[in-house]
Amino acid sequence: MTYKDLLQSLADRAATNYTAYLQSKIDILSNQEDGLLADKTSQYKDGYETLEKKFTAVLAMVKNGQALEDTVPEDVADDAVK
């Protein structure tokens, strides 16, 4: 996997998670008594923020000298995918 592939994967996952987060916020408006929706909204937000931090960390690696087409070390890829 290249740095470009990893960044794209993280961006896709973050976008999916953020969309779910926003949809969950809308769902809360229509069903305010459902306490699980608030928990789910919080989980989506936390997930999005985690993915954004991982994206930023990988982006910093590229800015600090790694080429987009370089192969990502396995441990870095594993940490980013978790």
Side-chain angles (χ1 to χ4, degrees), residues 3-4 19 28 78 80:
Y3 282 95
K4 183 176 180 179
T19 300
I28 285 176
D78 289 345

Side-chain angles (χ1 to χ4, degrees), residues 59-74:
L59 189 62
M61 289 178 196
V62 173
K63 286 183 177 182
N64 288 328
Q66 300 296 328
L68 278 175
E69 298 304 324
D70 284 354
T71 300
V72 178
E74 194 171 322

Side-chain angles (χ1 to χ4, degrees), residues 32-71:
Q32 295 179 352
E33 291 83 35
D34 190 347
L36 292 177
L37 282 176
D39 290 341
K40 195 177 251 189
T41 300
S42 179
Q43 289 174 354
Y44 286 134
K45 182 180 179 187
D46 292 345
Y48 165 75
E49 289 174 349
T50 298
L51 289 167
E52 184 179 34
K53 288 176 185 175
K54 289 179 180 184
F55 180 89
T56 302
V58 173
L59 189 62
M61 289 178 196
V62 173
K63 286 183 177 182
N64 288 328
Q66 300 296 328
L68 278 175
E69 298 304 324
D70 284 354
T71 300

